[in-house]
Amino acid sequence: MENKTQNGMPAVISAAELRAIAQNEASTAKSRITALFDAGTFAETGAFAHKLASEFGKGDNCELEGVVTGYGAIDGRLVFAFAQDFSRMKGAVGAMHAKKICDLYDLAIKNGAPIIGIFDSAGAYIMEGVEALAGYGKIMKKVSDASGIIPQIAVIAGNCGGAMATVASMFDITIGAKATGSLYVNPPFVLNELDKKAETGKIETAAKHGQISVVCDTDTDALAYVRKLLSYIPQNNADGTAYAAVTDEINRLTPDVASIIASEGYAMADVISAISDDSAFLELGADHAKSMLTGFITLNGMVIGAIANNPAHIGGKICGGAAKKAARFISFCDCFKIPLLTLVDTEGYEVSVESEAKGYGAALAKLASAYASSENAKVTVVLGKAYGAAYTLMGSKSIGADIAFACENAKISAMPTKSAVAFAWNEKVTDNAKRAEVEAEWDSVMASPVAAAKAGEIDDIISLDELRQRTAAAFEMLGAKNALCQKKLHNNLPL
């Protein structure tokens, strides 16, 4: 549609005509917005915003921006969202496109409500040159300003490349749709010229490398997942711990846990499900660094962030990817005062030349820093093996846990039993029977959770049957930890 006056100049389009354009367009963004929000609650902002006419842009003054912004309710909660619209100028990012998103961020921050970004854009509006590039920078600045104040969830529903891939990766949680989404910095066709076997751009590839938190089949599935995810997340960093309505019994015993961990290389997700309300575990990052699990559960209705070693994958060893995955999740939970449960069963650090070459120490430092600096309520349970510095790093009392439990069968030691005996008595214990006897003694004395409890590093030794009871009770006790801002003004003067 292009209206002109008699002198050939672009005509001013009325509000009624603009609305007709919007209503007549088959807008993918509008359909996605409809699927995201409660029916009838979405209110658009900047509905008539469009680019100014230019010597390059034909009909620019009647071309609505390639992004829909606004607010509405999701399960009755206020939420803000923007959805890039590939049907409008291929969702190209320019100055006005960026302004709409930045204005939305201002509203979201002022009202302390989550923001959802639905990404589907072919890139920058090149006719605007540096103004388009500045638009990217302004969006990045807003995303950074909002980080840690309001939750930010990205949905990769279509193309998300170049600078927009950077923007999406700055969000707290990123969800990808396999059928329609793609995430990349450099276009896949360019990279394929360098490596014919490259699988860049695919959502599954991005998830494998930790860039996507959750993979869904379609964009509709991704939006449905967002609605579910929001039920586990507070509105903002001042909202306090979130609660959900549950019917599960808080004092329910967990006899299944003993049979689960009795199996070598068991799946830690089964333990998490066994102790959570209604056996529900919303996992994040399932396709990346599988030796570490992260996600959300509820205990007696209280939303808890769960982080755990996974013996089903490389014995639950902490690799560089697992350390960074855990550190980011801990940081997110701390930002929004989400209590953190750590379940420990690991053979220690991964021994790998590849890990060392990729900055293994720096990755472990991120995990240590995340635990040590976080101020949310933290409960740790050692279920099985906890050897060496991996014990210290996985949420021990010394690094910041408020409460630390160990199960009766836990093994806490400076070294794995066989390694410890070999290190201390290898030359003296040459008989296999004698070696087995010494190893058993080490297990019962040096690696016993009793030794750690006597040292004050374990608060109590609990049975697996009471795992749910004791962790839930500990979190209830810690419920006021983040609600009370105990900033000391001065000493109370003595009389």
Side-chain angles (χ1 to χ4, degrees):
M1 178 178 178
E2 183 178 1
N3 291 354
K4 292 189 176 181
T5 60
Q6 290 183 347
N7 61 12
M9 294 299 290
V12 175
I13 306 301
S14 69
E17 289 173 308
L18 278 170
R19 189 171 294 282
I21 293 169
Q23 290 174 345
N24 290 332
E25 285 181 336
S27 173
T28 304
K30 284 290 182 69
S31 64
R32 286 169 175 160
I33 287 287
T34 301
L36 178 64
F37 286 99
D38 297 346
T41 65
F42 179 70
E44 190 170 353
T45 59
F48 297 152
H50 59 82
K51 292 176 174 58
L52 299 176
S54 70
E55 59 180 309
F56 296 106
K58 293 181 65 178
D60 275 353
N61 68 327
C62 65
E63 187 81 73
L64 295 176
E65 270 303 324
V67 63
V68 176
T69 59
Y71 57 91
I74 295 180
D75 290 333
R77 292 172 54 184
L78 175 64
V79 175
F80 291 79
F82 68 84
Q84 292 181 310
D85 193 344
F86 203 83
S87 71
R88 298 178 182 177
M89 301 180 296
K90 297 185 178 180
V93 178
M96 186 58 71
H97 186 119
K99 184 179 185 304
K100 287 185 68 173
I101 293 175
C102 290
D103 288 348
L104 185 79
Y105 261 91
D106 289 338
L107 286 173
I109 294 172
K110 287 176 184 177
N111 288 278
I115 194 160
I116 313 300
I118 304 174
F119 292 80
D120 190 359
S121 170
Y125 184 64
I126 61 172
M127 294 303 182
E128 289 186 355
V130 73
E131 287 185 276
L133 300 179
Y136 281 128
K138 290 174 182 177
I139 296 171
M140 292 173 188
K141 178 69 165 59
K142 289 296 182 182
V143 174
S144 178
D145 289 345
S147 182
I149 298 175
I150 55 173
Q152 301 177 78
I153 302 172
V155 178
I156 312 302
N159 290 328
C160 185
M164 286 314 288
T166 302
V167 172
S169 298
M170 292 173 70
F171 278 48
D172 298 312
I173 297 171
T174 306
I175 301 167
K178 286 194 295 184
T180 56
S182 59
L183 182 66
Y184 52 86
V185 174
N186 295 297
F189 73 85
V190 174
L191 296 176
N192 286 339
E193 290 296 318
L194 302 175
D195 184 354
K196 300 295 183 183
K197 297 181 180 179
E199 294 186 341
T200 56
K202 292 184 177 181
I203 293 298
E204 301 95 312
T205 303
K208 181 180 178 182
H209 293 103
Q211 295 175 278
I212 295 287
S213 309
V214 179
V215 177
C216 296
D217 290 331
T218 67
D219 55 352
T220 302
D221 294 333
L223 296 171
Y225 192 94
V226 170
R227 292 179 60 91
K228 184 177 182 180
L229 176 62
L230 282 172
S231 67
Y232 287 88
I233 300 174
Q235 282 289 90
N236 52 61
N237 64 352
D239 201 36
T241 303
Y243 284 84
V246 296
T247 58
D248 209 341
E249 169 57 45
I250 185 174
N251 289 316
R252 170 173 59 83
L253 297 178
T254 53
D256 294 343
V257 174
S259 59
I260 293 170
I261 72 171
S263 302
E264 189 74 20
Y266 66 90
M268 181 63 82
D270 293 340
V271 174
I272 297 174
S273 295
I275 66 173
S276 65
D277 292 336
D278 304 318
S279 301
F281 173 41
L282 192 71
E283 187 174 359
L284 300 178
D287 299 306
H288 170 63
K290 297 181 180 181
S291 64
M292 188 77 75
L293 301 185
T294 56
F296 297 108
I297 63 171
T298 62
L299 287 174
N300 197 31
M302 181 187 292
V303 173
I304 306 291
I307 179 170
N309 308 114
N310 182 24
H313 189 77
I314 63 171
K317 291 180 180 178
I318 306 173
C319 62
K324 288 187 283 188
K325 172 182 174 179
R328 180 169 173 79
F329 184 72
I330 294 166
S331 179
F332 175 78
C333 289
D334 186 45
C335 282
F336 298 102
K337 300 182 177 67
I338 301 172
L340 186 71
L341 171 65
T342 302
L343 300 178
V344 184
D345 194 345
T346 177
E347 295 179 2
Y349 291 163
E350 181 188 44
V351 181
S352 165
V353 173
E354 183 181 7
S355 289
E356 294 290 345
K358 291 183 178 179
Y360 196 13
L364 295 173
K366 286 182 172 66
L367 180 56
S369 179
Y371 268 120
S373 63
S374 60
E375 297 181 358
N376 53 337
K378 294 183 289 294
V379 175
T380 297
V381 183
V382 180
L383 292 176
K385 301 171 184 175
Y387 294 142
Y391 158 73
T392 306
L393 203 59
M394 284 298 298
S396 64
K397 287 202 75 171
S398 58
I399 208 168
D402 297 295
I403 295 292
F405 296 126
C407 293
E408 295 165 326
N409 59 320
K411 302 297 179 187
I412 304 172
S413 174
M415 295 177 71
T417 299
K418 290 183 180 298
S419 300
V421 171
F423 179 80
W425 299 291
N426 194 52
E427 296 179 358
K428 298 179 180 179
V429 184
T430 56
D431 179 74
N432 288 338
K434 181 62 175 177
R435 181 177 294 270
E437 182 181 328
V438 174
E439 288 175 353
E441 185 177 0
W442 180 278
D443 268 344
S444 64
V445 179
M446 299 300 293
S448 167
V450 174
K454 286 180 177 179
E457 297 302 321
I458 293 294
D459 289 298
D460 200 0
I461 300 170
I462 64 176
S463 72
L464 293 170
D465 284 0
E466 60 181 356
L467 184 57
R468 171 180 163 84
Q469 287 181 339
R470 296 300 300 273
T471 52
F475 281 118
E476 288 293 336
M477 178 273 293
L478 293 166
K481 179 182 177 183
N482 294 120
L484 299 174
C485 298
Q486 297 174 322
K487 183 178 179 181
K488 180 176 177 178
L489 298 178
H490 51 72
N491 287 353
N492 186 25
L493 292 177
L495 294 175

